[in-house]
Amino acid sequence: MRFIGLILLLSLKLFAVDATLEIVKNGNKIPYIMVEKLDSENADFGTKVLKMLVADLKVSGHFQADDGGVNKSNDINYADYAEKKVDLLAQIKVAKSSTLTATLSLYDINTSKHIFTKTYTENDIKRFPFLAHNMTIDINSYIKAPSIQWMQRLVVLSRYVGSGSSEILICDYTLTYQKVVVKGGLNIFPKWADSKQESIYYTKYLEVPTIVKHNLATGQIEQLVGSEGVAIVSDVSKNGENLILSLSPTALSDLYIFNTKSKNLRRLTNYSGIDVDGKFVNDEKEIIFVSDRLGYPNIFMMRLDGGGTEQVVLHGRNNSAITSNGKYAVYTSRETNNEFGGNTFNLYLISLAPGSNYIRRLTANGKNQMPKYSSDGGSIMYLKHYKNQSALGIIRVDYNANYFFPLSKMKIQAFDW
């Protein structure tokens, strides 16, 4: 029961887009791009890639994008597009055989030039979203906008499938592509083990909850650490050598640091209550974490070389999850105290700079939980529950934009990006 109770605590961790985008490039507002589909050998996948490409361009925050539909002509009438105020034209063609191949041709309407034609291939046709993601990255590179390489990255998540049973999947950031990589039994709290996303850590319930490492390419599984109550990888250092673990070998959970090379396990906190969800910050010299040492979940910080703990968040009385890009942190805060009904949980952004009191609310309603920073630290993924609907949310922090991908019949237990 203690194990289940801790899982519930840690798991507390639609939909109009109100984007206010003012990205200036060469004195102009963000470019207007039209995406068209040429006659294709596979109209179905061609339409799917086109719609995904338009969505990706919008999510980047660097384009105004429209679906131009089907174009049966190979000739580009630059004057016609210029009259429609189009800056860029992207034309795609998709062919399906044993693989899925997409060709992108990009045109700069303002200079009446063909910029490039490039072919993209996916051996697994279910991975068609990545054709669009990679096209978007290349179009984004042409206008020299800030990098959106995070679109290529996989999301790893665990979902409940029944009593005592959960699966681990890898997905694209929209959850359109999904592939089960672990099934059978209770498999929870997945975490990427390396920046190349070749291996994952997760907790498997064996005789006790046990942290295992799973190589996705070879299928090799290595057992690392077991704990009677809870055993979770909370964070992984940038070089992949050190892990922050939440363990409860004898009592409620504390934080430990585990070296993957030496297998040395060192205790970081020693508190009679619950310390969980530790994250590296400030060049990995410190960690922030969730603790109930005030009688309710709140966010604290401590140095890895020793010293006392410091309360970080002074807002709210139930802050049950934390994520950080090293210099900033995003946490959940319960805004209401409804004993018998739903409560509102919002996300807040704070600076971790010494002496800073910067705070910014990122969400406005519903239950917003499990925030996770992107690898480049510029976007935040989270779960939103609002009026009996659920969605995976993406916050583009620098652009004041939120985007949502509805969840259908999927109960996500935890995820990592």
Side-chain angles (χ1 to χ4, degrees):
M1 289 299 295
R2 182 175 62 190
F3 175 61
I4 295 173
L6 284 171
I7 289 178
L8 291 175
L9 170 67
L10 292 165
S11 295
L12 288 178
K13 307 190 201 172
L14 232 152
F15 284 14
V17 174
D18 182 18
T20 55
L21 306 180
E22 282 292 328
I23 300 175
V24 177
K25 183 179 185 296
N26 297 327
N28 299 317
K29 291 185 178 181
I30 60 176
Y32 173 34
I33 182 170
M34 182 171 287
V35 183
E36 296 178 342
K37 180 182 69 172
L38 298 175
D39 278 347
S40 175
E41 297 175 25
N42 192 289
D44 182 40
F45 276 104
T47 299
K48 290 179 178 179
V49 173
L50 181 147
K51 292 186 179 299
M52 183 66 69
L53 178 56
V54 172
D56 281 351
L57 290 165
K58 291 178 179 178
V59 171
S60 75
H62 303 153
F63 300 91
Q64 300 177 68
D66 272 337
D67 181 343
V70 178
N71 188 333
K72 296 184 178 181
S73 172
N74 291 325
D75 296 326
I76 305 298
N77 189 323
Y78 290 98
D80 284 351
Y81 290 105
E83 188 175 342
K84 298 174 184 176
K85 307 300 183 183
V86 174
D87 297 303
L88 296 170
L89 171 66
Q91 291 186 332
I92 65 169
K93 188 171 184 178
V94 179
K96 173 181 171 293
S97 55
S98 58
T99 61
L100 201 61
T101 301
T103 301
L104 165 68
S105 294
L106 183 66
Y107 301 89
D108 190 323
I109 302 303
N110 296 320
T111 60
S112 300
K113 288 183 179 180
H114 168 240
I115 305 306
F116 66 77
T117 294
K118 186 172 180 179
T119 299
Y120 307 79
T121 302
E122 287 291 346
N123 293 327
D124 181 356
I125 61 175
K126 293 181 180 179
R127 285 178 54 92
F128 77 86
F130 289 97
L131 296 174
H133 301 339
N134 290 325
M135 288 179 184
T136 305
I137 290 169
D138 287 339
I139 296 171
N140 188 74
S141 295
Y142 169 67
I143 69 167
K144 296 182 173 59
S147 174
I148 51 170
Q149 292 291 331
W150 55 266
M151 285 191 177
Q152 291 179 320
R153 288 184 63 82
L154 291 163
V155 176
V156 61
L157 63 86
S158 58
R159 68 178 180 191
Y160 288 116
V161 294
S163 178
S165 179
S166 58
E167 298 175 334
I168 293 180
L169 296 79
I170 54 174
C171 315
D172 78 309
Y173 84 93
T174 71
L175 302 191
T176 304
Y177 167 73
Q178 299 180 10
K179 179 182 179 181
V180 177
V181 294
V182 179
K183 59 183 178 180
L186 191 61
N187 308 286
I188 51 179
F189 299 114
K191 193 80 176 173
W192 287 112
D194 54 89
S195 60
K196 295 181 179 179
Q197 299 192 315
E198 294 176 341
S199 299
I200 59 173
Y201 296 110
Y202 64 95
T203 302
K204 189 171 186 66
Y205 196 85
L206 301 173
E207 293 184 2
V208 296
T210 303
I211 295 170
V212 301
K213 183 178 182 181
H214 184 136
N215 186 301
L216 297 177
T218 65
Q220 180 181 359
I221 296 178
E222 176 188 3
Q223 294 186 24
L224 297 183
V225 180
S227 181
E228 182 64 34
V230 67
I232 301 170
V233 176
S234 297
D235 203 12
V236 180
S237 64
K238 288 183 178 180
N239 63 11
E241 292 185 8
N242 291 304
L243 313 179
I244 300 296
L245 307 183
S246 299
L247 301 174
S248 53
T250 57
L252 295 177
S253 64
D254 276 299
L255 296 173
Y256 295 73
I257 188 165
F258 178 79
N259 185 275
T260 58
K261 290 188 173 181
S262 68
K263 309 301 181 184
N264 179 61
L265 181 67
R266 177 168 66 91
R267 191 169 190 163
L268 297 176
T269 65
N270 190 359
Y271 167 60
S272 59
I274 297 174
D275 289 339
V276 292
D277 207 18
K279 300 292 190 299
F280 289 107
V281 296
N282 295 333
D283 298 321
E284 301 184 357
K285 296 176 182 178
E286 298 177 285
I287 61 169
I288 52 175
F289 60 98
V290 178
S291 176
D292 69 348
R293 58 188 65 204
L294 295 179
Y296 55 89
N298 202 283
I299 312 302
F300 291 81
M301 180 183 294
M302 66 175 292
R303 292 188 59 86
L304 287 176
D305 59 6
T309 61
E310 173 188 356
Q311 184 179 353
V312 176
V313 174
L314 302 177
H315 168 269
R317 288 185 59 83
N318 191 316
N319 307 309
S320 55
I322 187 76
T323 186
S324 177
N325 63 3
K327 301 299 182 183
Y328 291 87
V330 174
Y331 65 91
T332 63
S333 179
R334 191 179 70 191
E335 308 284 69
T336 55
N337 190 20
N338 190 334
E339 185 176 354
F340 301 105
N343 283 297
T344 296
F345 287 81
N346 279 316
L347 301 182
Y348 285 81
L349 172 73
I350 58 171
S351 170
L352 297 178
S356 173
N357 59 1
Y358 176 81
I359 183 171
R360 171 182 164 192
R361 191 172 74 174
L362 299 176
T363 59
N365 51 41
K367 293 181 180 179
N368 304 280
Q369 299 170 318
M370 300 187 200
K372 301 290 180 184
Y373 260 108
S374 59
S375 57
D376 65 1
S379 302
I380 298 157
M381 182 177 288
Y382 66 104
L383 295 184
K384 185 178 188 74
H385 305 285
Y386 183 62
K387 292 184 177 180
N388 298 318
Q389 292 180 294
S390 297
L392 185 74
I394 299 281
I395 299 174
R396 299 285 283 133
V397 179
D398 291 339
Y399 311 113
N400 296 320
N402 284 21
Y403 301 91
F404 298 99
F405 304 93
L407 298 174
S408 177
K409 299 179 181 179
M410 179 185 287
K411 189 175 181 181
I412 296 178
Q413 180 269 334
F415 69 91
D416 192 31
W417 193 10

